[in-house]
Amino acid sequence: MKTICLYFQVHQPLRLKKYRFFNMGKDHHYLDDFANRNIMQKVANKCYIPMNKLLLKLIKENGKKFKISFSISGIAIEQFRMYAPEVLDTFRALAKTGCVEFLCETYAHSLASLINEDEFKEQVKLHSRTIEDEFGVKPTAFRNTELIYSDHIGEIVANLGFSTMLTEGAKHILGWKSPNYVYCNAINSDLKLLLRNFKLSDDIAFRFSNKGWCEYPLTVEKYVGWLTNPEMPGDIINLFMDYETFGEHQGPETGIIDFMKYLPKGALATKQLEFATPSEVAKKYNPVAVFNSPYPISWADEERDVTAWLGNELQNEAFNSLYELRDKIKSINSPDYNYVWRFLQESDHFYYMATKWFSDGDVHSYFNPYDSPYEAFINYMNVFSDFKMVVDNSFNNTKEEAVSA
């Protein structure tokens, strides 16, 4: 009997409006409210609402045999509240079934774990409280933004009280070993690690509608056959992907929704497969080995590293400049400043600045509102520069008031 662990990432960034140099000092509203509302409502109608209703139906049909898990960024939850509250209702309905696990992550879907441990911890705690407030469950398993992980990050997560963490089954780390087992952190062995089976996950997330793929079309029967192949090693099959795969990245016309509709029944009918949440998997199986990752990995691109966000000078300049502002932000402690500070940390902003695939015009352009990484950098830095001026002025005024007092 093998265990299928299904995990879906749910995130929509708050997109910046086109912010010119001449706006600086005059306009302190940075978001494209029209785009954010339209995109959220579009994805809600194409993916979140129909898929949540389908999953609820599948859980009712299969009793406690069908299990799934989600991580929903705090930024996404904010937008659900503003633009699509009915989505939260459907997630709450799923939470009540007891068959859905909600994972913790960074509130702002940020890269804080790569630069500032205090900020990382603060966002994790804020996200945990948000999930508990919205869905009535306190997360016990963790997934970092884009599955970013290192031995040190895992140690921090364990010290925060989490017993389970998800990350990428990166080949350059695993070598000959299989991702289909539970592993443990190299520093704190109490933290169990679930590793994404990137091939089987990407067969659904990226290759499903590719007519040039040698396995096209992908049917439930074919896929379940792969999962039950006697030569498939391991105890678990971790299928981790963006939730927007279903209905948005892969449109309904591709058959992706029907694939998900019949997958649970097809898998359970074999009597060789079961479904479990990440925490259930971690309780059931003991680690087979230590997973050594001295440098950060992620689920992004072929390299499975963090160069999608911090691979060039533009990205690093914007990233470092942003986090140099943290002490002043915390000193002022303004709700308005904290709000802007959080959405400026979204990993998406730095992703848009990536040059590594710009010449290819590949799938990444689908998610990018900018015509070039340079345009993304300039727009972000214009916003950041104005925000920095506002923060600096407030900080200086606060210091002057303190001296006067």
Side-chain angles (χ1 to χ4, degrees):
M1 179 75 75
K2 280 189 170 62
T3 301
I4 300 173
C5 184
L6 270 174
Y7 152 74
F8 302 118
Q9 169 183 285
V10 181
H11 172 63
Q12 284 296 324
L14 280 167
R15 294 158 182 84
L16 303 177
K17 69 181 181 183
K18 294 295 175 66
Y19 193 88
R20 311 300 182 188
F21 174 82
F22 300 103
N23 293 116
M24 293 167 59
K26 303 174 184 176
D27 179 3
H28 307 311
H29 184 81
Y30 308 126
L31 296 174
D32 188 336
D33 295 329
F34 179 79
N36 290 325
R37 181 179 64 252
N38 281 4
I39 291 172
M40 174 53 76
Q41 291 177 349
K42 182 190 75 167
V43 180
N45 290 324
K46 293 179 69 175
C47 171
Y48 302 140
I49 293 174
M51 275 300 296
N52 282 0
K53 288 181 178 179
L54 172 61
L55 293 178
L56 185 62
K57 181 173 181 287
L58 293 174
I59 289 170
K60 290 178 178 178
E61 288 176 353
N62 294 284
K64 299 292 183 180
K65 293 182 179 179
F66 181 54
K67 308 284 185 71
I68 49 177
S69 58
F70 292 97
S71 70
I72 311 174
S73 71
I75 294 291
I77 289 174
E78 286 182 8
Q79 292 185 82
F80 290 149
R81 290 169 180 162
M82 289 188 291
Y83 306 131
E86 64 274 21
V87 174
L88 284 175
D89 291 337
T90 59
F91 275 119
R92 292 187 192 107
L94 285 169
K96 289 178 181 177
T97 66
C99 294
V100 179
E101 180 172 12
F102 291 90
L103 311 185
C104 191
E105 65 159 279
T106 57
Y107 185 92
H109 201 73
S110 75
L111 305 173
S113 61
L114 300 175
I115 192 170
N116 192 295
E117 184 173 327
D118 289 338
E119 178 64 25
F120 176 61
K121 290 178 179 178
E122 188 174 310
Q123 285 199 31
V124 171
K125 292 174 183 177
L126 175 59
H127 187 266
S128 181
R129 290 195 300 270
T130 301
I131 294 299
E132 191 169 10
D133 289 344
E134 287 291 344
F135 307 117
V137 290
K138 184 179 177 65
T140 58
F142 185 81
R143 60 86 63 190
N144 199 11
T145 304
E146 307 298 331
L147 296 189
I148 291 172
Y149 174 84
S150 71
D151 295 336
H152 178 57
I153 293 171
E155 180 189 23
I156 298 170
V157 169
N159 290 339
L160 284 169
F162 295 98
S163 58
T164 309
M165 184 171 178
L166 280 57
T167 188
E168 176 69 13
K171 288 186 70 175
H172 68 279
I173 301 293
L174 279 174
W176 57 269
K177 295 186 287 250
S178 169
N180 300 345
Y181 296 94
V182 173
Y183 292 81
C184 68
N185 176 258
I187 300 172
N188 187 334
S189 60
D190 290 337
L191 182 70
K192 293 184 177 181
L193 302 175
L194 306 188
L195 311 184
R196 175 177 178 259
N197 186 312
F198 65 84
K199 183 197 177 299
L200 289 170
S201 298
D202 290 350
D203 285 342
I204 298 174
F206 294 109
R207 289 182 281 274
F208 185 86
S209 61
N210 181 4
K211 295 182 179 180
W213 180 34
C214 63
E215 297 292 350
Y216 181 87
L218 181 61
T219 63
V220 168
E221 292 76 16
K222 182 187 293 186
Y223 194 74
V224 168
W226 295 344
L227 304 187
T228 55
N229 189 324
E231 296 182 4
M232 173 79 71
D235 303 316
I236 51 176
I237 303 165
N238 296 313
L239 303 177
F240 304 163
M241 62 198 78
D242 288 329
Y243 198 33
E244 296 81 12
T245 294
F246 301 92
E248 174 63 13
H249 301 170
Q250 307 272 357
E253 71 281 357
T254 67
I256 191 80
I257 306 295
D258 287 336
F259 178 86
M260 193 65 217
K261 179 179 179 180
Y262 296 110
L263 178 62
K265 183 178 180 180
L268 293 170
T270 66
K271 306 297 184 182
Q272 301 176 56
L273 297 168
E274 63 176 2
F275 291 89
T277 65
S279 291
E280 290 174 340
V281 169
K283 287 179 182 177
K284 181 174 182 177
Y285 300 106
N286 292 320
V288 298
V290 170
F291 185 72
N292 287 290
S293 182
Y295 303 105
I297 61 171
S298 76
W299 70 356
D301 309 312
E302 290 295 325
E303 294 87 351
R304 304 293 196 260
D305 58 17
V306 296
T307 56
W309 305 278
L310 300 175
N312 64 43
E313 293 181 5
L314 303 178
Q315 293 168 312
N316 281 284
E317 179 181 344
F319 185 68
N320 292 326
S321 297
L322 177 67
Y323 282 92
E324 286 172 0
L325 205 58
R326 183 180 188 273
D327 289 345
K328 291 181 180 178
I329 295 285
K330 297 305 170 186
S331 176
I332 299 169
N333 194 27
S334 159
D336 290 340
Y337 293 178
N338 289 337
Y339 174 65
V340 176
W341 163 248
R342 281 199 296 267
F343 71 66
L344 285 179
Q345 290 187 65
E346 294 168 358
S347 63
D348 310 78
H349 300 309
F350 306 100
Y351 190 85
Y352 301 147
M353 301 176 199
T355 53
K356 59 188 291 187
W357 52 69
F358 179 54
S359 60
D360 299 333
D362 66 2
V363 67
H364 298 279
S365 61
Y366 175 87
F367 309 100
N368 198 330
Y370 300 99
D371 293 330
S372 77
Y374 312 105
E375 180 186 329
F377 172 75
I378 291 169
N379 199 68
Y380 182 87
M381 291 307 291
N382 283 346
V383 168
F384 171 74
S385 296
D386 182 80
F387 181 56
K388 183 177 183 300
M389 285 191 293
V390 174
V391 170
D392 286 343
N393 288 337
S394 294
F395 181 75
N396 292 333
N397 290 337
T398 302
K399 283 178 62 178
E400 290 174 5
E401 290 172 3
V403 170
S404 300

